[in-house]
């Protein structure tokens, strides 16, 4: 999978992360039948994000992606294109994360999400919006949250490239 971006604000080198947690995640730009994009608003931390999350033991990337979209957006998806990967080095938490990024379309009716307790406490809300609005919201960069700053940079990069890919077809 092609590398879209490396987010490494502290210029950490590979040799210094042997004791860090390594996490693989799956993410998607999900389009509904009206070509709107599903975003999550993290109300308590004041940022928007694309759906996705960690790949659990025994899951492959696409299974994890389907599960995350079902949990966070309340939809079944059909993956239509692999976009690439984004690598993050979150030094404060000693976390090395790789996100595998896809474009998907919904393949079901929209249902209620199944947010985790942490997501509920963070005030997660689903919004379905036009791609131009999604770009503006991801580019707001209003959060002071450590994790949120990584998410904003990652998801804005991913969405920009995904939209170019989506409109090429």
């Amino acid at each position: 999978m092609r590398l879209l971006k490396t987010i490494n604000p502290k210029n950490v080198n590979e040799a210094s992360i042997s004791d860090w947690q390594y996490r693989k995640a799956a993410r998607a730009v999900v389009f509904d039948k009206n070509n709107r994009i599903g975003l999550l608003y993290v109300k308590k931390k004041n940022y928007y994000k694309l759906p996705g999350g960690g790949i659990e033991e025994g899951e492959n990337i696409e299974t994890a992606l389907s599960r995350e979209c079902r949990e966070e957006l309340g939809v079944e998806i059909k993956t239509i294109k692999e976009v690439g990967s984004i690598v993050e080095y979150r030094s404060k938490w000693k976390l090395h994360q790789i996100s595998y990024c896809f474009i998907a379309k919904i393949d079901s009716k929209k249902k209620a999400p199944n947010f985790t307790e942490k997501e509920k406490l963070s005030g997660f809300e689903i919004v379905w919006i036009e791609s131009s609005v999604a770009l503006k919201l991801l580019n707001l960069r209003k959060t002071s949250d450590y994790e949120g700053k990584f998410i904003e940079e990652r998801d804005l990069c991913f969405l920009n490239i995904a939209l170019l890919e989506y409109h090429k077809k």
Side-chain angles (χ1 to χ4, degrees):
M1 189 175 279
R2 74 180 168 142
L3 178 65
L4 304 176
K5 184 175 185 94
T6 299
I7 304 169
N8 188 3
K10 298 283 186 192
N11 294 317
V12 175
N13 71 38
E14 289 285 328
S16 68
I17 64 168
S18 61
D19 63 334
W20 286 27
Q21 178 189 354
Y22 178 67
R23 182 176 190 250
K24 294 194 283 187
R27 314 203 172 281
V29 173
V30 179
F31 291 91
D32 70 7
K33 292 177 185 358
N34 298 313
N35 263 351
R36 292 175 302 175
I37 293 170
L39 280 185
L40 295 156
Y41 178 53
V42 185
K43 190 174 189 172
K44 294 242 169 108
K45 297 184 179 177
N46 197 26
Y47 65 86
Y48 290 85
K49 71 180 284 300
L50 292 164
I55 299 170
E56 296 176 358
E57 187 73 35
E59 284 184 320
N60 64 31
I61 296 168
E62 289 210 18
T63 302
L65 184 65
S66 292
R67 176 185 50 75
E68 287 290 342
C69 289
R70 192 170 38 256
E71 290 173 358
E72 293 185 347
L73 293 178
V75 297
E76 298 296 329
I77 60 161
K78 181 175 93 174
T79 303
I80 58 172
K81 187 168 182 121
E82 177 184 291
V83 178
S85 63
I86 298 177
V87 177
E88 298 170 61
Y89 295 90
R90 299 182 189 176
S91 58
K92 181 177 176 180
W93 295 349
K94 292 189 169 187
L95 175 65
H96 175 210
Q97 176 170 275
I98 184 165
S99 292
Y100 300 100
C101 306
F102 296 84
I103 297 170
K105 283 198 166 246
I106 67 169
D107 199 27
S108 69
K109 291 189 178 195
K110 294 174 186 171
K111 298 178 183 169
N114 185 19
F115 293 139
T116 64
E117 201 53 41
K118 182 181 175 191
E119 291 165 342
K120 289 176 192 172
L121 290 171
S122 293
F124 271 39
E125 297 173 4
I126 302 168
V127 292
W128 289 94
I129 51 180
E130 301 299 321
S131 58
S132 60
V133 177
L135 282 168
K136 285 178 187 168
L137 292 175
L138 286 174
N139 200 27
L140 287 175
R141 299 182 188 242
K142 286 184 175 181
T143 191
S144 58
D145 182 67
Y146 178 76
E147 180 180 38
K149 288 179 182 292
F150 279 88
I151 290 170
E152 287 174 329
E153 185 173 347
R154 178 195 68 213
D155 287 1
L156 181 61
C157 170
F158 171 27
L159 181 58
N160 272 304
I161 294 168
L163 290 173
L164 291 172
E165 297 287 323
Y166 183 71
H167 294 297
K168 260 201 252 180
K169 60 177 190 151

